[in-house]
């Protein structure tokens, strides 16, 4: 089966179910700490493209599965205040998923005030989406965070409990760390797993990471032209030139 395809992702979800895993949110501590329970915490970091997060969410719903979606406040690629994006995120929440903050510390100059900025972002997200924020994931985390050496005012996905005490699997850089995820799940080797899936890397068919970027650039380019056209009497967007 081709990896990084929606079909593969469905197989992955089925494999968790068939092997007796329960799906958990980051704050389901009783379940996560339950000695013999098989538990998976599904996480999505949305770095580029909110539309692709929605596709992931639709697949999960087909299988009655929930996960935690992490969005950015200060992204240059998407704006969560934009009505279209806002509606998608609201829809994702309404399907029993949870919202987390994908925090990019490079958005801020004064690194000594990290906790203040984190509290600000929590406030922004909670006010906008009316859902309690219980967990944060760092975008391209610095070493101190990976080593769980920094204390922040909220739970985060690189804490020992979520990344060292349990098996941490990630598709970062469009690679399956530790080997084929399906094989790992079917091996039944790990009782507790945190699985990080970046929706950006997943498609109908398998393709290279550079093609994912190129496709994204193409779509954004068209979007930008349409948007300029919508806001200008001088520039006219023509579909065949897009
Ligand atoms: Zn990220």
């Amino acid at each position: 089966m081709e990896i990084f395809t929606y079909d593969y992702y469905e197989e992955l979800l089925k494999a968790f179910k068939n092997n007796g895993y329960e799906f958990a949110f980051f704050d389901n501590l009783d379940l996560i700490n339950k000695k013999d329970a098989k538990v998976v915490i599904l996480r999505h970091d949305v770095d580029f493209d909110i539309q692709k997060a929605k596709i992931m969410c639709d697949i999960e719903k087909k299988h009655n599965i929930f996960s935690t979606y992490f969005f950015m406040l200060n992204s240059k690629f998407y704006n969560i205040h934009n009505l279209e994006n806002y509606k998608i995120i609201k829809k994702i929440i309404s399907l029993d998923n949870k919202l987390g903050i994908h925090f990019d510390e490079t958005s801020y100059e004064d690194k000594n005030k990290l906790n203040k900025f984190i509290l600000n972002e929590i406030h922004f997200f909670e006010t906008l989406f009316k859902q309690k924020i219980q967990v944060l994931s760092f975008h391209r985390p610095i070493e101190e965070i990976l080593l769980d050496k920094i204390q922040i005012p909220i739970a985060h996905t690189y804490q020992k409990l979520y990344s060292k005490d349990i098996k941490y699997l990630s598709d970062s850089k469009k690679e399956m760390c530790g080997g084929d995820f399906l094989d790992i799940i079917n091996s039944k080797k790990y009782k507790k797993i945190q699985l990080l899936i970046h929706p950006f890397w997943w498609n109908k068919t398998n393709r290279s990471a550079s093609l994912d970027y190129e496709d994204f650039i193409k779509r954004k380019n068209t979007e930008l032209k349409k948007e300029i056209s919508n806001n200008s009497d001088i520039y006219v967007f023509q579909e065949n030139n897009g």
Side-chain angles (χ1 to χ4, degrees), residues 45 47 72 102 138-140 198:
D45 284 359
D47 289 333
M72 296 170 110
H102 197 35
F138 285 94
H139 176 63
R140 302 173 75 93
H198 294 85

Side-chain angles (χ1 to χ4, degrees), residues 13 15-25 28 30-32 34 36-42 64-66 190-194:
L13 299 180
F16 276 122
K17 280 188 163 179
N18 294 340
N19 287 298
Y21 284 86
E22 288 183 72
F23 288 80
F25 291 121
N28 293 148
D30 286 349
L31 182 59
I32 295 165
K34 201 165 145 193
D36 287 317
K38 287 164 103 182
V39 178
V40 54
I41 313 169
L42 202 50
N64 253 324
I65 279 163
F66 51 80
Y190 305 102
K191 279 208 179 98
K192 311 278 195 295
I193 295 175
Q194 178 193 166

Side-chain angles (χ1 to χ4, degrees), residues 43-48 70 72 102-104 137-141 158 172 196 198:
R43 155 185 165 206
H44 298 294
D45 284 359
V46 182
D47 289 333
F48 294 102
F70 294 80
M72 296 170 110
H102 197 35
F103 187 85
D104 183 2
S137 81
F138 285 94
H139 176 63
R140 302 173 75 93
Y158 294 106
S172 290
L196 166 58
H198 294 85

Side-chain angles (χ1 to χ4, degrees), residues 61-83:
K61 274 320 104 188
K62 240 173 94 181
H63 298 274
N64 253 324
I65 279 163
F66 51 80
S67 57
T68 308
Y69 285 80
F70 294 80
F71 295 97
M72 296 170 110
L73 180 67
N74 299 313
S75 169
K76 275 196 170 183
F77 300 111
Y78 61 79
N79 176 0
I80 56 170
H81 293 272
N82 168 271
L83 186 60

